[in-house]
Amino acid sequence: MIKDAHEIECLRLACRATLLVYRAVAQSLKAGMTTIDVSSLVNAAYRRVGFRGEASLNVDEFTAQPHGSAQPQTSVMAPS
């Protein structure tokens, strides 16, 4: 409930790492990539910043499902 200074610094470090990872992954996205492709990018980026991490990835109609889907998904549009 109440974080000490060390806990707050750990949270800030995790936030900075996550923002670096997401920025790098977003810049690497290409049309036709599967969720497995993007998950691989996420895993590699977290390793580069020295952390373990993951992201929940869903495409198109699967984004409306609260827990996504295990069905393979492929993006159809390149990011803008």
Side-chain angles (χ1 to χ4, degrees), residues 41-61:
L41 289 174
V42 169
N43 292 333
Y46 270 115
R47 280 193 305 276
R48 277 196 84 152
V49 297
F51 288 95
R52 288 186 359 201
E54 61 183 66
S56 175
L57 305 167
N58 291 289
V59 177
D60 295 330
E61 71 270 14

Side-chain angles (χ1 to χ4, degrees), residues 2-59:
I2 299 173
K3 305 287 187 239
D4 65 29
H6 177 71
E7 291 171 311
I8 291 170
E9 186 52 35
C10 288
L11 290 168
R12 286 183 176 143
L13 177 61
C15 183
R16 285 192 300 269
T18 298
L19 290 173
L20 287 170
V21 166
Y22 284 15
R23 185 177 298 126
V25 170
Q27 292 172 352
S28 300
L29 296 176
K30 294 181 179 35
M33 293 181 90
T34 66
T35 52
I36 293 170
D37 296 330
V38 178
S39 289
S40 294
L41 289 174
V42 169
N43 292 333
Y46 270 115
R47 280 193 305 276
R48 277 196 84 152
V49 297
F51 288 95
R52 288 186 359 201
E54 61 183 66
S56 175
L57 305 167
N58 291 289
V59 177

